[in-house]
Structures are given as C-alpha cells and as structure tokens.
Amino acid sequence: MSDVAVLSNSQLNKRILSVIIFTFFCYLSVGLPLAVLPGFVKNQLGFSAFIAGLIISLQYFATLLSRPQSGILADRLGPKRVVMLGLICCGMSGVLTILAALMSHSPMLSLGLLALGRLFLGVGESFSSTGSTLWGMNVVGPLQTARVISWNGVATYLAMAIGAPLGVMLNNWFGMSGFAGLIALMGIGGYLLASSKPAVSVSVGERTPFHRVFSRVWLYGMALGFGTIGFGVIATFITLYFASRDWSGAALALSVFSLGFVMVRLGFGRYITRFGGLKVSLGSFLLECLGLIIIWQADSAMVVGFGAFLTGCGFSLIFPALGVEAVKQVQRQDQGAALGTYSAFLDLGLGLTGPVAGLFISHWGMQSVYLAAAMMVLGAMLMTLRLHLRRSRQSQ
C-alpha cells in the first residue's frame, strides 16, 4: 500500500486488527470445545482415551491437508474469499456438534457427527487463519510481515484462552449445544462482516512450482511441527491429566498457557526483527522445553499451571520467528503458498500428538507424554541450530 510508510504504529495495528479479527473468530471456535470434547467422548459416549485424542486430532489433520491449498487459493483468488469460505466451514462445525450432542444416545452416530464437525473445523481453521494472515500482509505491506504474524498469534491464543473456560461454562449451563451454537453464530456473523470489507489486489507474477516452495520452507516447518507438540499435549490431554490426579482447574491451565503466550508475543515480538527469527526461536524452544519438564515432574495443580505458563511463553514467538524466515525464501506472489505449507507442519505436529500421546498414556501413564514432548521440542531446537549455522556459513 502506498501510504503504509507514513502510518504510525497504532494505525498499522488498526489495519492489521481489522482483518485479524477473523482469526479470533476462528480460534475461539477451536478453543470452545477443547476442554469439553475429550470428556464427552470418554465419559458420555464411552470410548477410550485414544479415541478421544483421535477426535481432537481429526481437526488438525483436516487443517494439515487443506493448509497448502488455502495458501494457493489465497494467492490466486485473494485472501478475502478464502476467509469467507473458512468462516462458513467453522459455522458448519458448530451445527454438526449440536447434532452430535442430540444423538448422544447412539454413541457411534454421535461420534461420526462429531468427527465430521471436526473435519469442517479443520478446513475452516486453515482457510480463515491463512487467509487472514495474508490479508493483513497485503494491507500493510511485506515489511510488516513479522507484525502481522505476531498479531495473528495474539488473536489465536487470546481466543483460545477465552474459549477453553467459556466452553466449559457454556457446557455446564446449556450442554454442548451452548458452545456449539456460539460457534455457528460466529461463522455466520464473521462471514457477513468479512463480506462487507474491501478486497485486496492479488500479486501478479510467475508462480513458483509447489515442490520448489516446499523445498525452501520444509526445514523451518519441521522445526515448527516438533515445537508445536508441547502445545498439543497441553491442549489435548491436560483435562484428562488433571482428572487422573483428582485435581480441578484444567481449563485454567489452558488459560495460563495462553496468558504466557500473549504476554510474550505482545512484549517481545519486536525482538524477531531486532535479533532475527532463528536466534529468537532457539531461546524460545529452550524455555518451552523447561516448561514441559516442570509439568512432567509436577506434584500439584499449581506447579502444572506454572509449567504451562512457561510453555506458553516459550511457544509464543516460535511461529512468527520461523515464519518470517520461511516467507523470505520465496517471492511475494508465492507467499500464500509458502505460509500455508509452513503452517501445515504445525497441523502435522498437532495431528500426530493426539493418537501417539494416547498410546504413550496406555503404556507409560499420563505424565509420560510431557517428557516425550520435551524431547521433541529439544529436537526442534537442534534443527533450528542447524539452520542458524548454515545461515552463518553462507554469510561468511
């Protein structure tokens, strides 16, 4: 945009937030069921912890499969249309969840409806979040990429911090139809709001073949995927972990995680530009690993909360820090494809977390998943160190 250079920080943020609000709608829809669905599947429908984890992970697999396509469509059709499609899918997930609750007397049918709703939510997540991020990058220009991705993350985890306890509250008051109805309403309202905003022009230029885009960003994405597992085991299994220890406050632990995430993102996001994405990622992985080890060794709900807070602080800057570096590897007309491909590794990490962690729980107990997650985050730190060393050699 020609006037971006003269905008103040507050004006830039206002432009970004005008479209990042759709990410908030999307991830509030993601957060509302998180603390409720595992217990519903396990306790009311009578399925195992593995099936409960698989139902949660279906959303991430759907996001994984649709994420690259969402970026390609955003490059070609414009991010506004992709966001509108995503919000429709989010709303459909709410409708299907209501039907699943009504059919709880038939466990297999209810589980099938719930699974279908999770698939719709996964597609809605990829389209809404990727489209919103690219939309934001277009309204403020490529120099503000780190700012856009950072605000996108703030919207994501602020929504999830609100969503987890709000979902529990609505479930206690109205049953599953309470939070599922809110998801459906947000899909409709978000669609109408997005349709009223002006579209942005699509960048022209020869598109890079997808396999080349993939080859340029996959290492950044792999590190992101490994680092995401810490969030995955907290989001998916913290309620069952608390229940296994007869503790209360699982939803609060999710909120504390998100609080740490948002605080660091708002307070230290500028460090990505100052020190570089790879250096910031190295410190972030180390902090996330420490938080997970604390949860693994915790002997009280308060200690788990502290570990969740540190994990959120560590995880906070990983996506924008590595994302800025990944997007730099391609031309502007391919940024949507690069962002979608890079983000897909986040979904891969979350998708694998549910079933794999469920198997860990069956063999080694609930606490084992947090030690395993810490080891995976350590692996992500080693990958990032490799990228940093390679960058240093190239600059010599």
Side-chain angles (χ1 to χ4, degrees), residues 22 80 84 87 135 189-198:
F22 303 115
K80 175 180 174 177
M84 292 169 67
L87 291 167
W135 200 348
Y191 176 88
L192 294 175
L193 181 59
S195 66
S196 69
K197 292 185 176 294

Side-chain angles (χ1 to χ4, degrees), residues 79-157:
K80 175 180 174 177
R81 292 184 183 180
V82 172
V83 168
M84 292 169 67
L85 286 171
L87 291 167
I88 291 174
C89 290
C90 288
M92 278 299 300
S93 74
V95 173
L96 288 164
T97 303
I98 292 173
L99 294 175
L102 294 175
M103 295 294 158
S104 60
H105 59 276
S106 178
M108 286 301 300
L109 177 59
S110 178
L111 189 71
L113 289 167
L114 203 59
L116 186 59
R118 299 297 292 172
L119 293 175
F120 266 99
L121 186 58
V123 174
E125 178 191 346
S126 65
F127 277 49
S128 298
S129 60
T130 302
S132 295
T133 305
L134 195 62
W135 200 348
M137 289 163 61
N138 275 272
V139 298
V140 295
L143 294 178
Q144 301 296 330
T145 296
R147 186 191 295 259
V148 174
I149 296 178
S150 291
W151 273 115
N152 192 68
V154 171
T156 297
Y157 290 96

Side-chain angles (χ1 to χ4, degrees), residues 250 344 360:
F360 266 80

Side-chain angles (χ1 to χ4, degrees), residues 241-242 247 253 256 291 293-310:
Y241 182 37
F242 270 62
W247 294 337
V256 168
I293 289 174
I294 289 173
I295 296 175
W296 169 54
Q297 288 292 291
D299 57 3
S300 70
M302 184 176 296
V303 175
V304 171
F306 177 64
F309 177 78
L310 287 184

Side-chain angles (χ1 to χ4, degrees), residues 189-273:
Y191 176 88
L192 294 175
L193 181 59
S195 66
S196 69
K197 292 185 176 294
V200 294
S201 59
V202 180
S203 297
V204 296
E206 184 179 354
R207 308 288 178 184
T208 303
F210 177 74
H211 71 275
R212 292 186 181 176
V213 174
F214 181 87
S215 68
R216 294 172 185 175
V217 304
W218 76 272
L219 270 176
Y220 300 92
M222 186 69 73
L224 171 69
F226 276 38
T228 301
I229 291 174
F231 164 62
V233 294
I234 291 177
T236 306
F237 289 103
I238 200 69
T239 53
L240 297 179
Y241 182 37
F242 270 62
S244 71
R245 307 289 292 271
D246 293 323
W247 294 337
S248 60
L252 182 61
L254 283 170
S255 295
V256 168
F257 171 93
S258 299
L259 176 64
F261 181 100
V262 172
M263 286 175 57
V264 170
R265 184 67 69 91
L266 289 176
F268 300 95
R270 64 186 183 278
Y271 287 4
I272 296 172
T273 303

Side-chain angles (χ1 to χ4, degrees), residues 1-5 15 137-142 200 332:
M1 305 280 293
S2 59
D3 60 339
V4 167
R15 281 197 179 186
M137 289 163 61
N138 275 272
V139 298
V140 295
V200 294
R332 186 172 182 182

Side-chain angles (χ1 to χ4, degrees), residues 287-288 389:
L287 187 58
E288 183 185 1
L389 294 175

